[in-house]
Amino acid sequence: MDARVDRIARPWGGRTPYARHGQWPTRVDTHLVDGVTADEVERWVQTASVLHSGGDAMDIAVRDGRMVGVRGRAIDRVNRGRLGPKDLFAWQAGASPDRLTRPLIREGGRLVETDWETAMNRVVSRSRELLGERGPGSIGFYTSGQLFLEEYYTLAVLARAGIGTNHLDGNTRLCTSTAAEALKESFGCDGQPGSFDDIDHADVIALFGHNLAETQPVQWMRVLDRLEGADPPRLVCVDPRPTQVARRATVHLAPRIGTNVALLNALLHETIRHERIDHAYIEAHTVGFEELAARVANCTAEWAAAICDVPARLIVQAAEVIGTTGRLLSTVLQGIYQSHQSTAAAVQINNLHLIRGMLGRPGAGVLQMNGQPTAQNTRECGANGDLPGFRNWENDDHVAELAKVWNVEPTTIPHYAPPTHAMQMFRYAEQGSIRMLWISGTNPAVSLPELTRIRSILSQDRLFTVVQDLFPTETAQLADVVLPAAAWGEKTGTFTNADRTVHLSDKAVEPPGEARPDLDIFLDYAARMDFRDKDGGPLLPWHDPESAFEAWKRCSAGRPCDYTGLTYGRLRGGSGIQWPCTEEAPDGTPRLHTDGIGWAHPDECESYGKDLLTGASAGVVEYRSLNPDGKAMIKAAEFLPLHEAPSQEHPFQLTTGRTAYHFHTRTKTGRTPQLNAAAPDVWVEISEADAAARDLEEGDLVEVTSPRGALRGRLRVTDLRRGALFVPFHYGYWDTPAGSGPDGRTPGRAANEATVTDWDPVSKQPLFKTAAAGLTLVEKGGGQPSPAPTTTASEPRPGSRVPATEGGPSARVLQTTATDRASQEGAR
Amino acid sequence: MNGITLTLRLLHHGEQHLAGELLAVADRHRTEHEVHHVAKDLAGWSREHVERLAGTGRSYGLELGAPPSKPSPALLTMVRERAAQAVGHRPEPGLLLLRDLRELHLDATGNSLHWEMLAQAAQAARDTRLLELASSCHPRTLRQMRWTNTMIKNISPQLLTSL
C-alpha cells in the first residue's frame, strides 16, 4: 500500500502496528527530488544515516552523477525500510553551493585559497617544529562523531603511535562518554548490553532523559507501532519536557534538573524495599549489592520528592511499573549524560537491571545510548579518550598487545596517564601547553560550553588550528589551515550504531572540487610525516577504506568489539550486523551478558573503575580485591547538591537539547530546505506558570543570561516543568552577518553562550543541562509566533494560535507498506 | 585531656583546615574547572566531618565549634578568582596547581592517620560511638587523598614537560 505523507508535519509517518514478540512490519520510505521517478534512478548505493545514532539503513539514489534521493532498506534489522525526517531530507546538503572545495590557509589574518601541497606542507612543518621544540604533548587532535570507523582508527594510530601524543578525543565526549563510562563502571568494559530488537519484546520501556521521538525517530516509530499493537508496552519517562515520549507514558516524572541521582536512589530504594529483586542473579553475577542496599536505605520516595520536586506517589508508581515487570528495557540519554552527576546516575540505571536480573534476554536489557551517528566507533577505535579495542591503558599487557598489533615499542604509546579528554585539551590549549589543535568534522565554536572562552582559545595566535570540514563553519573561520573534506555518500567506509550494528556506506557521488575523504587526508599526513614502525616499515601500511578496515579487524581481534567475522563483502547487500562478529558468531551478537558478565575480569577489563563522585582512579589492586572473578559491579552513589544552583539574579535552570529536525550545529540540516523551514531559528521554551508570573507570552523576544554570556530567542510557552528554560543547541552564526560569533549587530544565538564549563569528573562529559540563568524581555512578540516546531517537545500549550509546522509538497514522502503477510515477505 | 580528646581535637583542627584549603584551592584555580568544582564538593565532606566531630566532642567535654558559616570571605574569593583568570592563559600556574594538590594530599593524609588512630583508640576503649564516627568518616578522607593523587597523576605529565 502506497501513501504520500508530509514527513515534516508527521515526523514519524504512518503506523504499522504489531504485537509483542512479533516481527516489526516493513515500511519503505522513499524520497526523490521533484521530477525524478524511481525508474529514472540509475543506481541505488547502500549506506546508513549519519545524522543520529540509530543507524537507519538506506540507499542513495544516483542520477547523472548526483544524489537525487534516498530510500530505506527493507532488509535491514534496524529500520526495516523506515527513515526519519533528517534521513529523508538532509542528503541534499552535500550539494550546497557553499561547500569547501579548496584548502584555505591564513595569510595576513585572512583565509585564502591554496592547493593541497601548500596546505599540507604548512601542517607538516608546524607539526615537525612543535615535535622538535616542545614534544608530542604540544599537539592535540579533536575529532568527530560523524567520520567513519576506518578514519578514526587511522587517526588513532597516527596520533597515539605516530605523533605519540595522549591528546586525542572526539566531540563524542559531549554525547556518549557517560554511556561508555557507565558501562565500564558496571561491567568493567564498554559495549552496549542490549539491542533495538528488545523494543519488540519489552513489557515496560523506561526512558531516562531520552527523547527517543526526536533523537532516534525510527526507533520511536517502532515503539509507536507496538503501542498500537496487541499487548503494548507501558512507558516510564523521566524528562523535564513534555516530549512525545512523556505524552505517551504511563508514568511521567519531570524532576528538578540535576537531581537524577536522588530520583534513581529512590527507585532503587523502592525496588529493594518491596523485594522486587532477583537474589539468584545478584548472587551469581554481581558484587556490591550490600553497599547499594545500605546507601539507598534512607532514600525514600518522600525524601526524593523533596529534592526532585515530583510527587512521591509518582515515584512509587514508577518504581512499581519498573519493579513488577518481567521484561524491562531501559534507555538512557542526554537528560542523564549531560546533567549533574551523570555517570553516578547512569550507573544507578544499570544497577536497577542488575538487581532485577534484567539483562541479556529479549526485552530485558539496557541501552546506554549515544547521540552521534558514529560515536560507537570513536569509542572502539581509541579516538574518544580510550585505547583502541577497549584496551585498558593501566594494563601493561593490553598496551603490549596493542604495540604488537602496531609493531611499535609499548613506550611509543603514551599510557602513563589516561588519554586526555576534550575539555582538558581545550584547557591545555588555553594555558599554552598545546600549540597545535587539529579539529576534524566538528564545530567546537558552537558546540562546546561557554563560547566566549572557546572562541578566545581558538583565536590565540600561538595556537595553530587545523580544521577539516565540509563547510566554512564557525570554527573553520577561526582556523589557520582549512582542509575541505568529502561528505557521507562521497566516500566509502563503515560505521556502527548505538546497538552495535555495523553498516557499510558506499561512495555514491564524487566530492566537490578538490575535497578529499578524511581517510585520505589522514593517510597523506602520515605519509608526509613519514611515521614508521619499529622495523622501519610504514606505521600505517593501509591505503584505502577496505585495507584500513582489515587493519582494524586485526586490532579488534579477541576484544569485545571483535570485527573479525565481518568483511565489506558480507556487509554489502544485506542487513547491518551486530558486533562481536567472529568465526564462532558469524551472524553477529544481538545481546551481551547473556550468560554471565563478559569482560569484567581484572585481566580483561577496560577500566579498573573510578570513584563515582570524585572521578579518582580505583587502581588494579582494589579492582582485583573487590571483583576477582569478573562479575558486574553494583556501585552506589550519594546525591550531591548542584554546583550552580539558581539564585536571585539567575533564577532559572537552562537546559539545552535538540529538535527532531536538526543535527548538531546545523551544518547539514540548516542547509536542507525542508528541515531548515521546520525550525528556522533559535527559540526559548518556558513553562506556563513562569510565563504568566512574568507576563510573558508566545513569541516575545527574550534574552537568556548567565554569568558567561547571553542569547536571544523568541519564547514558546509549553508544559515544560516550572523553573526550567529549554534552548536548542543547534544554532550558531554561519548564517548570520556575524559569521563565527556574536558582534555589535548580531546578538548571541547559540545556547552555549550561556552554558557553564563544568563536567562530570568521572566521564568528563560537559554539563549542558544545569546552568543557572536569568531571563529578560527584549520586546513583545506582537502576535509573531516563536520559530519552534509544533510537532515535537516544543508543542505549544493547547489553545495557542500558533500555526502548525508543515513541510508542504516538497516534504511529501512515499511510504510503502505491505498489505498482507505474504507480500511483506516478498518485499524483503 | 586524654588521648582520645587529643585526637578528636587534632582531627577537628585538621578537617577544618582541609575544608578551608579545599575552598581556597577551588578559588585559586578557578580556570581549572574540574579542580574548582570537585574541590568544593570535597570541602563539603570535611565540613560535615567538622560538624560531627564537634557534636561527638561535646560528649567528651570538648567545645570544638562548628565550621565557619561563611567558608571564605566573598571578597577574598573574588580576588583569588580574578587572579586565577588573569593568569589563566599562562602555563606557570600549573606548577602552583601541582603544589596545591600536593599540599591537599598531605593534609588529607594527616587526617587519615588521625582517623586511623581514633578508630584504634575507640576499639581499645570499646567506644562504639567513636568507632562508628571514624568508620563513617575515614573512607571519605581516603577518597579525598585518592582524588588529589589521581589529579596529580593525570595532569603532571603535561604541566611538567611543557614549561
Side-chain angles (χ1 to χ4, degrees):
Chain A
M1 207 172 71
D2 285 1
R4 296 244 169 216
V5 180
D6 178 341
R7 292 293 302 280
I8 295 295
R10 294 176 62 203
W12 305 282
R15 295 280 58 80
T16 50
Y18 71 119
R20 187 171 174 204
H21 304 306
Q23 194 185 82
W24 192 21
T26 299
R27 181 192 96 192
V28 176
D29 296 344
T30 310
H31 178 242
L32 294 171
V33 290
D34 262 354
V36 174
T37 59
D39 35 328
E40 288 169 335
V41 173
E42 289 162 8
R43 286 185 298 135
W44 292 96
V45 180
Q46 177 179 351
T47 180
S49 173
V50 288
L51 295 154
H52 50 76
S53 64
D56 302 333
M58 62 171 96
D59 292 321
I60 300 173
V62 180
R63 182 180 159 82
D64 297 331
R66 291 185 311 118
M67 294 188 196
V68 292
V70 289
R71 180 179 71 189
R73 288 175 62 79
I75 199 173
D76 202 276
R77 57 168 294 277
V78 167
N79 55 323
R80 297 188 192 279
R82 289 163 193 76
L83 296 175
K86 287 184 279 188
D87 307 339
L88 287 162
F89 303 117
W91 55 269
Q92 300 166 94
S96 297
D98 62 341
R99 277 288 295 275
L100 291 167
T101 54
R102 296 197 66 197
L104 308 172
I105 53 172
R106 191 165 292 277
E107 290 290 351
R110 287 182 49 244
L111 284 170
V112 295
E113 286 195 356
T114 188
D115 53 33
W116 275 100
E117 188 67 21
T118 310
M120 290 307 286
N121 279 341
R122 195 167 279 201
V123 177
V124 166
S125 68
R126 190 75 187 114
S127 307
R128 289 230 166 91
E129 261 168 46
L130 283 170
L131 284 175
E133 289 166 14
R134 299 180 150 265
S138 62
I139 299 177
F141 296 86
Y142 183 48
T143 189
S144 175
Q146 299 155 65
L147 303 189
F148 292 168
L149 176 151
E150 294 78 0
E151 294 164 339
Y152 295 133
Y153 182 59
T154 299
L155 180 60
V157 181
L158 82 80
R160 301 205 187 283
I163 297 286
T165 181
N166 218 358
H167 311 322
L168 162 59
D169 199 6
N171 70 9
T172 44
R173 179 64 53 191
L174 318 180
C175 78
T176 189
S177 50
T178 301
E181 191 62 41
L183 295 170
K184 290 183 217 174
E185 294 300 328
S186 298
F187 302 103
C189 190
D190 194 356
Q192 182 71 278
S195 166
F196 289 166
D197 298 351
D198 288 329
I199 296 172
D200 303 341
H201 305 283
D203 170 51
V204 171
I205 306 177
L207 300 101
F208 294 95
H210 183 194
N211 183 1
L212 177 66
E214 299 188 57
T215 56
Q216 291 85 14
V218 167
Q219 297 310 313
W220 177 243
M221 297 173 204
R222 195 168 187 164
V223 173
L224 289 174
D225 285 345
R226 273 221 51 207
L227 287 172
E228 300 204 358
D231 198 0
R234 288 165 294 163
L235 308 186
V236 174
C237 172
V238 177
D239 202 308
R241 296 174 77 206
T243 60
Q244 294 297 314
V245 178
R247 289 167 202 272
R248 302 298 297 261
T250 301
V251 190
H252 174 208
L253 302 168
R256 180 179 282 132
I257 288 163
T259 63
N260 292 326
V261 168
L263 177 68
L264 285 156
N265 278 350
L267 293 177
L268 287 161
H269 169 93
E270 283 290 302
T271 306
I272 295 171
R273 185 169 75 92
H274 290 286
E275 279 282 323
R276 295 166 181 152
I277 56 180
D278 184 338
H279 289 283
Y281 191 92
I282 292 171
E283 178 62 29
H285 300 302
T286 72
V287 294
F289 174 70
E290 288 71 23
E291 192 198 331
L292 178 75
R295 167 64 60 201
V296 302
N298 298 321
C299 299
T300 61
E302 290 72 24
W303 168 83
I307 294 171
C308 307
D309 186 33
V310 290
R313 64 172 172 81
L314 280 188
I315 298 176
V316 171
Q317 195 190 345
E320 190 182 342
V321 172
I322 288 170
T324 54
T325 176
R327 298 288 164 120
L328 170 67
L329 171 65
S330 291
T331 75
V332 194
L333 200 58
Q334 310 307 359
I336 301 289
Y337 299 161
Q338 294 178 341
S339 193
H340 180 53
Q341 295 194 277
S342 62
T343 307
V347 162
Q348 301 319 309
I349 296 161
N350 292 341
N351 287 345
L352 262 178
H353 283 258
L354 287 168
I355 65 175
R356 298 213 61 236
M358 289 287 158
L359 272 174
R361 289 180 286 130
V366 180
L367 292 167
Q368 298 277 359
M369 295 293 295
N370 338 330
Q372 291 192 77
T374 68
Q376 185 59 241
N377 304 109
T378 56
R379 276 149 66 176
E380 296 156 16
C381 296
N384 189 36
D386 299 300
L387 291 186
F390 299 154
R391 288 179 174 86
N392 185 343
W393 67 271
E394 291 184 280
N395 184 331
D396 284 345
D397 292 338
H398 286 202
V399 177
E401 190 182 74
L402 188 61
K404 202 171 158 210
V405 173
W406 292 347
N407 194 31
V408 298
E409 297 295 342
T411 49
T412 306
I413 305 166
H415 61 283
Y416 36 77
T420 315
H421 62 91
M423 301 305 290
Q424 189 66 52
M425 274 168 47
F426 276 85
R427 174 61 194 143
Y428 288 153
E430 182 178 38
Q431 52 92 271
S433 62
I434 284 185
R435 293 294 176 99
M436 171 174 156
L437 197 53
W438 185 331
I439 300 167
S440 45
T442 186
N443 192 9
V446 179
S447 57
L448 285 182
E450 202 179 343
L451 289 180
T452 306
R453 171 174 177 260
I454 298 304
R455 284 187 294 263
S456 97
I457 293 171
L458 292 173
S459 308
Q460 297 174 97
D461 281 340
R462 67 182 174 186
L463 181 70
F464 180 76
T465 320
V466 182
V467 172
Q468 176 174 323
D469 213 312
L470 311 180
F471 295 104
T473 61
E474 290 82 348
T475 305
Q477 294 177 44
L478 303 173
D480 296 291
V481 175
V482 179
L483 304 174
W488 164 92
E490 299 165 358
K491 59 180 186 180
T492 293
T494 56
F495 50 87
T496 307
N497 78 349
D499 85 341
R500 293 175 280 103
T501 305
V502 186
H503 284 115
L504 177 69
S505 179
D506 266 326
K507 176 175 170 177
V509 300
E510 289 298 324
E514 297 175 26
R516 300 173 63 188
D518 298 274
L519 178 68
D520 293 10
I521 299 173
F522 292 143
L523 287 175
D524 181 26
Y525 176 72
R528 288 172 191 266
M529 291 295 290
D530 198 26
F531 293 134
R532 299 274 161 184
D533 66 16
K534 68 178 181 189
D535 297 323
L539 178 67
L540 296 92
W542 50 93
H543 57 275
D544 66 358
E546 192 159 4
S547 53
F549 185 79
E550 291 298 319
W552 160 248
K553 279 164 63 177
R554 287 190 288 281
C555 184
S556 76
R559 295 300 300 161
C561 49
D562 196 322
Y563 279 63
T564 49
L566 292 170
T567 60
Y568 273 26
R570 285 208 61 205
L571 291 168
R572 202 168 265 137
S575 170
I577 298 173
Q578 290 171 290
W579 65 245
C581 178
T582 60
E583 214 169 282
E584 295 77 44
D587 297 324
T589 309
R591 292 172 190 84
L592 305 184
H593 314 306
T594 48
D595 183 23
I597 304 302
W599 293 86
H601 189 274
D603 296 334
E604 292 172 338
C605 68
E606 181 181 8
S607 165
Y608 299 129
K610 294 178 184 173
D611 187 309
L612 289 187
L613 263 60
T614 69
S617 302
V620 60
V621 176
E622 180 169 316
Y623 191 95
R624 274 191 195 282
S625 86
L626 290 178
N627 193 20
D629 303 319
K631 296 182 176 184
M633 293 159 282
I634 295 175
K635 292 190 176 176
E638 71 187 84
F639 170 69
L640 282 183
L642 273 164
H643 291 155
E644 186 171 272
S647 61
Q648 206 165 5
E649 198 183 344
H650 300 105
F652 287 96
Q653 287 189 298
L654 169 64
T655 187
T656 73
R658 63 188 97 200
T659 179
Y661 301 105
H662 284 300
F663 177 67
H664 212 57
T665 61
R666 273 171 75 250
T667 48
K668 288 177 183 164
T669 53
R671 289 174 170 90
T672 303
Q674 296 90 335
L675 299 172
N676 194 48
D681 208 342
V682 69
W683 69 89
V684 179
E685 288 171 27
I686 192 170
S687 72
E688 191 198 18
D690 287 324
R694 283 164 178 74
D695 211 13
L696 296 169
E697 55 195 346
E698 167 78 28
D700 287 351
L701 184 65
V702 293
E703 186 159 81
V704 177
T705 58
S706 86
R708 277 80 50 186
L711 67 110
R712 287 180 182 187
R714 291 199 180 271
L715 210 57
R716 163 64 46 87
V717 182
T718 76
D719 287 327
L720 179 69
R721 79 156 276 128
R722 195 172 182 170
L725 298 174
F726 173 87
V727 178
F729 61 57
H730 306 291
Y731 300 88
Y733 304 94
W734 62 264
D735 52 345
T736 70
S740 67
D743 62 15
R745 289 169 304 147
T746 306
R749 190 187 191 211
N752 281 317
E753 301 295 346
T755 47
V756 61
T757 305
D758 186 8
W759 55 84
D760 180 54
V762 189
S763 69
K764 318 298 184 187
Q765 183 157 351
L767 276 56
F768 290 103
K769 305 287 193 193
T770 63
L775 185 72
T776 52
L777 177 70
V778 179
E779 63 178 39
K780 290 299 284 179
Q784 181 183 349
S786 169
T790 62
T791 44
T792 57
S794 52
E795 183 177 330
R797 298 204 70 260
S800 74
R801 277 166 309 197
V802 179
T805 301
E806 285 175 1
S810 73
R812 288 205 189 115
V813 169
L814 178 68
Q815 197 176 269
T816 309
T817 45
T819 45
D820 57 38
R821 183 84 193 161
S823 58
Q824 223 184 86
E825 294 296 334
R828 298 209 319 278
Chain B
M1 179 172 297
N2 64 25
I4 285 178
T5 53
L6 175 72
T7 313
L8 282 170
R9 199 179 279 281
L10 284 169
L11 256 177
H12 181 265
H13 177 261
E15 289 285 10
Q16 198 149 30
H17 174 74
L18 182 57
E21 285 305 300
L22 281 162
L23 291 176
V25 167
D27 293 344
R28 202 145 58 221
H29 300 284
R30 185 68 190 83
T31 52
E32 297 289 346
H33 298 89
E34 186 169 338
V35 171
H36 172 78
H37 290 293
V38 179
K40 280 187 169 178
D41 288 344
L42 297 189
W45 287 353
S46 282
R47 285 163 57 78
E48 198 186 314
H49 292 178
V50 169
E51 275 165 30
R52 294 183 64 178
L53 283 160
T56 307
R58 244 167 261 135
S59 319
Y60 296 84
L62 290 173
E63 266 314 312
L64 294 173
S69 60
K70 272 218 159 85
S72 172
L75 185 66
L76 184 57
T77 295
M78 195 182 75
V79 170
R80 282 178 183 150
E81 292 198 353
R82 290 271 162 86
Q85 278 151 4
V87 296
H89 283 277
R90 301 196 50 80
E92 292 81 3
L95 289 180
L96 178 62
L97 173 62
L98 289 176
R99 192 206 65 179
D100 280 345
L101 288 169
R102 174 184 170 279
E103 291 301 314
L104 290 177
H105 186 79
L106 294 176
D107 288 341
T109 307
N111 291 345
S112 167
L113 294 171
H114 283 135
W115 283 119
E116 188 76 55
M117 293 177 207
L118 191 70
Q120 292 299 91
Q123 290 185 78
R126 303 214 162 95
D127 186 331
T128 48
R129 184 170 47 182
L130 265 192
L131 186 60
E132 226 164 76
L133 176 71
S135 321
S136 122
C137 296
H138 193 189
R140 284 174 160 186
T141 305
L142 294 169
R143 291 165 75 184
Q144 290 172 326
M145 289 165 59
R146 192 171 269 174
W147 176 70
T148 45
N149 190 69
T150 297
M151 287 308 295
I152 287 172
K153 179 168 182 174
N154 290 0
I155 62 181
S156 59
Q158 181 77 1
L159 297 181
L160 294 176
T161 59
S162 63
L163 286 172

